[in-house]
Amino acid sequence: QQQVKQSPQSLIVQKGGISIINCAYENTAFDYFPWYQQFPGKGPALLIAIRPDVSEKKEGRFTISFNKSAKQFSLHIMDSQPGDSATYFCAASKGGNNRKLIWGLGTSLAVNP
Amino acid sequence: NAGVTQTPKFRILKIGQSMTLQCTQDMNHNYMYWYRQDPGMGLKLIYYSVGAGITDKGEVPNGYNVSRSTTEDFPLRLELAAPSQTSVYFCASRDSRTNEQFFGPGTRLTVL
């Protein structure tokens, strides 16, 4: 059972365009929603994260939008650059001793120059 | 800080062989995790540890074992390797203050 559903599976955007990746979750106990970025041959790295008490968080060109009632959150990459070409994973976790992350299946983003 | 380091980077095993994937972190994190990543399948949790001496199973523990004798080290043991264990393995540690997980560079394992 996939508790965090991510779409699209792949995305092609022109340089300067906006990249949008969506995630939906089922468990209302989740209280931490990070996005990780992974370049080929590397481990994932935290890009940006949000908690459900805010509807939006912005860091540079990257923005998370969060809709608690719809149980959805999305990553927006403004002014997309070829260097943003990577795989992006959304995830969710809830409080507890281990805080295991439940991962989406990933979105492969290609930004054409 | 070196962060999370993993060895080896690549390994080819024959069916039935065993090996240990090494993971070390220098950030004094209590929480550590082992994941496997298969194309299009995201990251699946194999085992995790909440501190030295304490480990627990994740989603896909069969065929693997772990130990955590120190805060720094969290080795993953593969016994009787099978082709289904061909994957990329990532170790991670978590900062309990920020919840950020820090990943190592991965080990690419092929079982033939």
Side-chain angles (χ1 to χ4, degrees), chain B residues 86-97:
Chain B
T86 293
S87 188
V88 180
Y89 292 85
F90 288 102
C91 176
S93 69
R94 179 169 68 86
D95 184 332
S96 58
R97 298 167 301 164

Side-chain angles (χ1 to χ4, degrees), chain A residues 79-102:
Chain A
D79 187 27
S80 298
Q81 299 296 312
D84 297 331
S85 298
T87 300
Y88 293 81
F89 293 95
C90 64
S93 73
K94 59 182 179 179
N97 199 28
N98 55 61
R99 267 218 178 263
K100 292 182 288 185
L101 281 173
I102 308 300

Side-chain angles (χ1 to χ4, degrees), chain A residues 16-27:
Chain A
I18 302 173
S19 304
I20 302 174
I21 305 170
N22 301 299
C23 281
Y25 64 97
E26 298 168 5
N27 191 337

Side-chain angles (χ1 to χ4, degrees), chain A residues 2 9 31-32 36 38 41-46 51 87 89 93 96-106, chain B residues 31 33 35 37 40-45 48 50 57-59 90 94 97-106:
Chain A
Q2 188 68 27
Q9 188 175 352
D31 62 358
Y32 174 69
Y36 279 76
Q38 184 180 28
K42 305 292 186 183
L46 180 68
R51 292 195 178 271
T87 300
F89 293 95
S93 73
N97 199 28
N98 55 61
R99 267 218 178 263
K100 292 182 288 185
L101 281 173
I102 308 300
W103 296 83
L105 295 184
Chain B
Y31 300 88
Y33 308 83
Y35 295 94
Q37 184 176 37
M41 298 301 293
L43 289 142
K44 294 197 181 298
L45 183 64
Y48 66 96
V50 301
K57 296 177 180 178
E59 298 173 73
F90 288 102
R94 179 169 68 86
R97 298 167 301 164
T98 65
N99 288 323
E100 179 176 356
Q101 289 194 19
F102 295 84
F103 284 78

Side-chain angles (χ1 to χ4, degrees), chain A residues 10-11 22 25 30 35 41 43 45 47 71-72 74 80 89 91 97:
Chain A
S10 63
L11 182 61
N22 301 299
Y25 64 97
F30 289 148
W35 285 89
L47 185 63
K71 292 188 286 185
Q72 294 176 349
S74 60
S80 298
F89 293 95
N97 199 28

Side-chain angles (χ1 to χ4, degrees), chain A residues 1-90:
Chain A
Q1 183 183 5
Q2 188 68 27
Q3 294 190 51
V4 177
K5 295 183 179 179
Q6 184 172 347
S7 62
Q9 188 175 352
S10 63
L11 182 61
I12 300 174
V13 174
Q14 293 300 117
K15 179 182 175 182
I18 302 173
S19 304
I20 302 174
I21 305 170
N22 301 299
C23 281
Y25 64 97
E26 298 168 5
N27 191 337
T28 55
F30 289 148
D31 62 358
Y32 174 69
F33 302 88
W35 285 89
Y36 279 76
Q37 180 188 54
Q38 184 180 28
F39 292 106
K42 305 292 186 183
L46 180 68
L47 185 63
I48 187 172
I50 198 168
R51 292 195 178 271
D53 52 347
V54 296
S55 59
E56 186 175 281
K57 183 175 181 180
K58 185 176 181 180
E59 290 185 3
R61 295 183 295 109
F62 301 91
T63 300
I64 298 180
S65 297
F66 185 82
N67 186 330
K68 189 173 181 178
S69 61
K71 292 188 286 185
Q72 294 176 349
F73 58 110
S74 60
L75 176 69
H76 295 234
I77 306 174
M78 311 300 288
D79 187 27
S80 298
Q81 299 296 312
D84 297 331
S85 298
T87 300
Y88 293 81
F89 293 95
C90 64

